[in-house]
Structures are given as C-alpha cells and as structure tokens.
Amino acid sequence: MDSPGGDDQPDPFRAHLIAADQTASRDYDKALLTLSAGALGVSIAFIHTVAPHPKVIGWLGVAWTLFALSLVCVVSSLLTSQNELRAAIRN
C-alpha cells in the first residue's frame, strides 16, 4: 500500500505493523513449542519418578500424543514459513 502522498514509498507505519505481526507470530510459535515440550518432559519425568504405575493409561497416551502432535505442527509450520520466505526472496 502506498503512502497518502502518492509517491512509491511504502507506509512506514504499515511496515512497522508487518514487522510487529511477524515478531508476534514467531514469539507465539516459540511459546507453544516451549510449553508443549516442557509439559511433555515434565509428565514423562513425573511418570518415571513419582507414579511409575498410573491407573489411567489411556488419557496419558492421548495427552502425550497431542503434545507430540503440537510439537510436530509447530516445527512443520516454522519450516514451511522459512521455505516460503526463501522462495519469495529468490523471486
């Protein structure tokens, strides 16, 4: 989007908003990755040290599967984003 003056310079506020959106997205991905990996690690450590014989294995399996799935989704999102940005830079 051009600036209101009609010249071909991009609007600095719009550029700032785009950069802020990218930073927020990156921070969100990092937070999700950290929380999922941490929760998965803590729950595995808890099972091994505190409760080695849990009574409800099904829910534990579901939780671990969903944590692992969220990690895979975040990592694949990051890789896809990186590949698309590199493709856009080449073109």
Side-chain angles (χ1 to χ4, degrees), residues 18-75:
I18 291 170
D21 179 57
Q22 292 168 347
T23 301
S25 177
R26 182 180 62 234
D27 291 345
Y28 177 77
D29 287 343
K30 284 181 184 178
L32 185 62
L33 190 63
T34 302
L35 288 172
S36 294
L40 184 59
V42 166
S43 68
I44 290 171
F46 180 81
I47 290 298
H48 285 289
T49 59
V50 177
H53 304 292
K55 293 181 181 178
V56 184
I57 299 290
W59 286 112
L60 188 59
V62 169
W64 283 353
T65 301
L66 292 175
F67 281 136
L69 181 63
S70 70
L71 292 171
V72 168
C73 287
V74 169
V75 169

